[in-house]
Amino acid sequence: MDAPAPTRLLLVDDEASLREPLADYLVRQGFAVQQAESAAAARSLLMEGAPDLVLLDVMMPGEDGLSLCRHLVESREIPVIFLTARGEATDRIVGLEIGADDYVVKPFEPRELVARIRSVLRRAGRGAAAPEDDAHYLFEGWRLDPMKRKLTDPEGAVVPISTAEFRLLRAFLDHARQVLDRDRLLDMVQGREAHLFDRAVDNQVSRLRRKIEADSRNPQLILTVRGGGYRFAADVRRAMPERS
């Protein structure tokens, strides 16, 4: 039996003194690593094929990491971990709101980074999916295809949805009619240390409401529970997609 292909990482950082030793370490941990010294170089590599995850510096000459991250999560649905010396809470909140999966402040312990990479890959579902994972979510005429991350409204139109919005919606659908507080939602959607950024989940809920509510100012699907968080108020069922 052939060995499984290694997980492909794209490491984007303009500091060669950090990038090159880190790439060597990750290769020793069993990853296949491509390196890029800028967002432009990263975009060129992405033209050749998509990695399983991107490790991305925020502050770089030219296009910064925030801009590239927005492209990655909205257009290519690739998980992103920020590597940055900027550790202020506001910077982390911006990264999480854009859709980054994790945020690691330099200097960091390489072993911890590897653990976070594997955690993000598990949350992103990179790997073989169980058959039931292919089942679509159906609610109030809407349909969410979890494998293609495609959201379709009751009229059959596809509604664009970011990676962060997809994760949040799936968390609600998996726990329909349950009250989910912010800590639990952030843990499901963003993972480790996300509880530091309560504001991030409120902003993502507002954006998701604008996508699926008839009137986002008077929501009927995602209800706010005073002092408790949020509750998805519709019945949800799963159905296997029709095979052509």
Side-chain angles (χ1 to χ4, degrees):
M1 181 180 297
D2 293 336
T7 298
R8 298 161 299 164
L9 306 179
L10 174 57
L11 174 56
V12 188
D13 196 307
D14 64 305
E15 295 183 41
S17 61
L18 180 146
R19 187 184 69 247
E20 294 172 357
L22 179 57
D24 290 342
Y25 177 84
L26 293 170
V27 168
R28 293 197 299 272
Q29 299 305 307
F31 298 103
V33 183
Q34 289 182 299
Q35 299 183 48
E37 71 280 4
S38 66
R43 286 179 180 268
S44 295
L45 290 173
L46 289 166
M47 296 287 289
E48 301 171 7
D52 296 300
L53 182 142
V54 175
L55 301 169
L56 179 58
D57 187 27
V58 173
M59 300 299 293
M60 296 184 292
E63 182 183 7
D64 66 17
L66 294 174
S67 173
L68 181 58
C69 177
R70 188 178 293 107
H71 166 72
L72 291 170
V73 300
E74 293 184 355
S75 302
R76 293 177 172 267
E77 299 178 349
I78 300 172
V80 174
I81 297 177
F82 275 132
L83 308 178
T84 180
R86 299 178 64 175
E88 292 84 356
T90 52
D91 294 324
R92 297 191 187 195
I93 289 169
V94 169
L96 294 175
E97 288 180 349
I98 287 173
D101 296 81
D102 208 342
Y103 205 113
V104 182
V105 178
K106 303 173 184 176
F108 51 83
E109 169 57 52
R111 288 177 297 178
E112 179 184 0
L113 176 60
V114 169
R116 293 197 182 200
I117 289 170
R118 290 174 176 156
S119 176
V120 167
L121 289 169
R122 285 194 299 270
R123 293 204 310 269
R126 297 288 168 139
E132 61 270 20
D133 288 344
D134 196 30
H136 292 186
Y137 294 85
L138 306 177
F139 63 97
E140 297 293 317
W142 291 78
R143 177 183 292 264
L144 178 68
D145 179 343
M147 302 306 292
K148 296 180 179 177
R149 298 188 178 187
K150 184 169 106 175
L151 179 64
T152 308
D153 72 12
E155 284 70 47
V158 174
V159 176
I161 186 170
S162 71
T163 298
E165 291 163 351
F166 164 79
R167 294 188 190 121
L168 182 61
L169 177 57
R170 189 168 185 181
F172 280 128
L173 299 180
D174 282 334
H175 302 85
R177 299 195 179 279
Q178 299 179 34
V179 176
L180 301 175
D181 63 27
R182 289 174 178 82
D183 285 345
R184 189 175 179 196
L185 276 172
L186 283 164
D187 185 60
M188 288 188 290
V189 173
Q190 298 288 0
R192 186 175 180 173
E193 293 189 357
H195 64 279
L196 298 173
F197 315 113
D198 283 357
R199 200 187 80 193
V201 75
D202 294 328
N203 289 342
Q204 290 295 346
V205 166
S206 295
R207 290 171 182 162
L208 184 57
R209 279 173 168 163
R210 290 197 289 269
K211 298 286 180 73
I212 67 173
E213 299 278 6
D215 180 359
S216 61
R217 294 170 296 181
N218 182 30
Q220 302 299 310
L221 295 175
I222 303 175
L223 305 183
T224 300
V225 178
R226 187 179 299 274
Y230 298 97
R231 180 170 66 89
F232 195 79
D235 291 325
V236 179
R237 66 185 181 90
R238 301 293 295 272
M240 294 301 295
E242 297 181 1
R243 303 297 182 185
S244 55

